[in-house]
């Protein structure tokens, strides 16, 4: 029912079933969280494009796959193959497990030189 952006491989799709998760006494799911994150990124891109260049945003599936004891890093290694995370100032990792949502932000400031 909703796609943002409307085209491309990096779009977030939200279905009618996902929208029902916004009802009272329901829990939001990864698709809703992903859409909100995409919209925040787009807003930040408009307001401060330089900040976006210094940041890398993961989706909610990144931490789940990374934390998997069987596959771990191997399951997400290709997600960052074209990005040098050590050149980024900020890494944003949403963690969505069961009933808890945490938005973690790792900041590497060049204070060691």
């Amino acid at each position: 029912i909703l796609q943002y952006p409307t085209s491309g491989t990096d779009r977030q799709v939200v279905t009618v079933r996902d929208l029902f998760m916004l009802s009272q006494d329901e829990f939001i799911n990864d698709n809703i969280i992903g859409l909100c994150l995409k919209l925040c990124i787009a807003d930040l891109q408009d307001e401060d494009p330089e900040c976006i260049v210094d940041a890398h945003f993961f989706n909610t599936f990144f931490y789940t796959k990374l934390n998997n004891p069987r596959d771990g890093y191997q399951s997400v290694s290709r997600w960052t193959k074209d990005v040098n995370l050590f050149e980024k100032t900020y890494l944003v990792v949403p963690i969505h497990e069961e009933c808890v949502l945490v938005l973690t932000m790792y900041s590497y400031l060049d204070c060691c030189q």
Side-chain angles (χ1 to χ4, degrees), residues 48-68:
D48 191 356
E50 200 170 296
C51 183
I52 287 291
V53 173
D54 288 338
H56 186 77
F57 296 83
F58 292 96
N59 63 28
T60 55
F61 301 106
F62 177 79
Y63 179 78
T64 303
K65 286 195 164 283
L66 181 65
N67 202 34
N68 181 329

Side-chain angles (χ1 to χ4, degrees), residues 27-61:
F27 296 104
I28 60 174
N29 65 13
D30 293 305
N31 292 338
I32 297 293
I33 295 167
L35 177 65
C36 292
L37 190 57
K38 292 270 185 203
L39 293 171
C40 288
I41 293 168
D43 191 44
L44 185 58
Q45 177 72 39
D46 290 342
E47 290 187 25
D48 191 356
E50 200 170 296
C51 183
I52 287 291
V53 173
D54 288 338
H56 186 77
F57 296 83
F58 292 96
N59 63 28
T60 55
F61 301 106

Side-chain angles (χ1 to χ4, degrees), residues 15 20 24-26 28 34 55 58 60-61 67 81 85 94 107:
T15 66
F20 281 117
Q24 187 173 348
D25 298 327
E26 294 292 331
I28 60 174
F58 292 96
T60 55
F61 301 106
N67 202 34
K81 68 178 177 162
L85 297 177
S107 176

